[in-house]
Amino acid sequence: MFRILRKRRLAEGTHDFWVEAPEVAQHARPGQFLVVRIHEQGERIPLTIADAQDGKVRIVVKAVGKTTYELCSLKEGDELADVVGPLGHPSEIDRFGHVLLVGGGVGIAAIYPIARELKRAGNRVTVILGGRTADQVIMRDEFDFADRVLITTDDGSLGMKGVVTDAMKVVLDSDEVDIAWAIGPTIMMKFCALLARERDLKIWTSLNPIMVDGTGMCGACRVSVNGKIRFACVDGPEFDGRFVDWDELLKRLTIYREEEKKALERYLEKVGEPTWL
Amino acid sequence: MAVNIPDKKTPMKEQLPQERIRNFNEVALGYSEEEAVEEAKRCLQCKVPLCVRGCPVNIDIPGFIRQVRERNFEKAAEVIKSYNNLPAICGRVCPQENQCEAQCVVGKMKNHEPVAIGRLERFVADWEAEHIGLKLPEIPPRRSEKVAVIGAGPGGITCAADLAKLGYKVVMFEAFHKPGGVLIYGIPEFRLPKAIVEREMAYIRALGVEVRTNVIVGKTVSVREILDEFDAVYIGIGAGAPKFMGIPGTNLIGVFSASEILTRVNLMRAYAFPNYDTPVKKGDNVIVVGAGNVAMDAARTALRLGAKSVTVVYRRSEQEMPARLEEYHHALEEGIKFHWLTQPVRYLGDENGRLTAVECIKMQLGEPDESGRRRPIPVEGSNFIIEADMVIEAIGQGPQKILLQDFPELKLNKWGYIEVDPETYATSVPGVYAGGDIVTGAATVIEAMGAGKVAARSIHQYLSSKVASEKS
């Protein structure tokens, strides 16, 4: 069992956990993910590792479906049935020069360890954090190590009014960027990747297709990259976004939409108003 | 030669096809004591039993059958357990028709079926579980050496159990949240109830084997850490990476690997969605590609999930089909259709990326290929369309790379499987042994168990001689 040692709410529907998992924590590197199962009847869901230290791993969870709603209802001291990882290849960390990292919504938690590691490796680090509203721009006080932080919100309640690609253009128009990362909702990563392709910029994106085992044994997470079938769990999760077939991925994410809806409705019927979110 | 041996096996009760196609309960229901004794009487008790030679773990088959005949069921179980740690499983999923039963002298008599060795093994194991419960053999004093077994599938379990019985401290590492390997994630409930696997696992744990789930060797712990901590290692990680034909449309919604469907249904119990959280797609018109045991399992699973029609397409003919005959017959009884000499060439979808049909081509058989089977050749211009909203590819699995990537010293063969000494199952790295599908490519449960057994013996020899040389 894997105990929740710390938990706090970062924004409505987005919660930050530190979970006891010594072996995973010891081996985890930026860019990798976990597969978590809450309880015996639970499904296995992939979650990016936001940090790891002293036998604990950090995950930031946004409530979008039954399992993530339920996960967010857990408290400090509660235990998760299964945590397995660290899965996937770690991010490519090197001294590139000037790196640009774009995080959208809960994706901000995913770029955080990568940005920090790139800074440690001697890069100049520019970060763009985006959210629908100011309070959705989570963890923004944790990026104080970055050389430059730009914030965008859809409603203009904080930073630039607009989306992350607007801020990307600002950076790319005024500065040389050697390599970029973009992690967030698939649609956001798609548009970041399209822009990067226009500008001939390598851009790592962390793909989030549907997974079961996370170890290359089911093929549910297959994506097309450069016309080839790849398994995001073992070949990724990061791929150069310029070569990802984004429209296919967006469609494949809808496979279980009906079932997901049904499961969440049934859960909410059982538990009532999810006031904890 | 003895006369008056009934020519047919004592039949085993089964759920009727029209009932079982809508549930996941076990199809075959097992023998009663009377039926088992009656069947045991068909055994000739050969002085030189050929059946034993056909068994990858060399169970004393006439020995246990004699005990059944005399109604000493407990003794029969002891006989089997001294060779085989997982009899309830083997009795259900071994391809006996190619192994022990293929060698049975009764089966060689004119118009006679062989003795139903598999059914008897299953009966004995189930009888023991029901009447005796967990019974442990005597275990010698604990030795100081520690052995790591990587992969808690049938081979690893066998190896771990045999080493534990010799007094070694054994730690088994399993990537999934439940041990059992293919017995848990691959073989469906209706062929092998998971409660039986859990029962056998309780026996393995009671022998003193420590099972660490959620550990992916190569990720959660490194190969280096394992080599440093343990005196010997057995690798039985199976061949779990699903292959896809890679034809156009493979990533359409509705195209799945058999591994995905089976893992969802078996390991995650998606058939009980939404009581279990993992969903699985229910197709109306399902095409299964391939005709091995995994394909039969996938086809019968799709049917039980509620498909209106399930069709198996196979590029060779009925004769070359690799599935067990019994599974094929069960599939036929349940109404699964078969299109022989048929190969999909393209998946067709709608604007939402959902599968609508499969374009196939007819095949004909040419000269035998390296597998000895006649090579299928496309018949030009014979393309045709089958409507389908779900395709399950069951065309085989390859080696899973996570551990191998973390272990570059380990010598692999040209297919990417681990190279071993065929006698000892020793790999190129001293103290490291391997067996099962990660050595042979996808094969059977009992073959993996046979390898685990031999490897346990080799590991015992290796550790004994190491201890002896350290003392001298």
Side-chain angles (χ1 to χ4, degrees), chain A residues 1-19:
Chain A
M1 298 294 262
F2 300 82
R3 187 181 301 274
I4 297 169
L5 299 173
R6 248 178 70 197
K7 185 203 171 193
R8 68 193 172 109
R9 194 171 104 150
L10 296 181
E12 180 164 357
T14 303
H15 295 243
D16 184 4
F17 297 79
W18 282 92
V19 179

Side-chain angles (χ1 to χ4, degrees), chain A residues 75-94:
Chain A
K75 301 177 181 65
E76 287 179 6
D78 287 346
E79 289 183 332
L80 306 177
D82 305 289
V83 171
V84 64
L87 294 161
H89 293 298
S91 303
E92 183 190 8
I93 304 293
D94 207 337

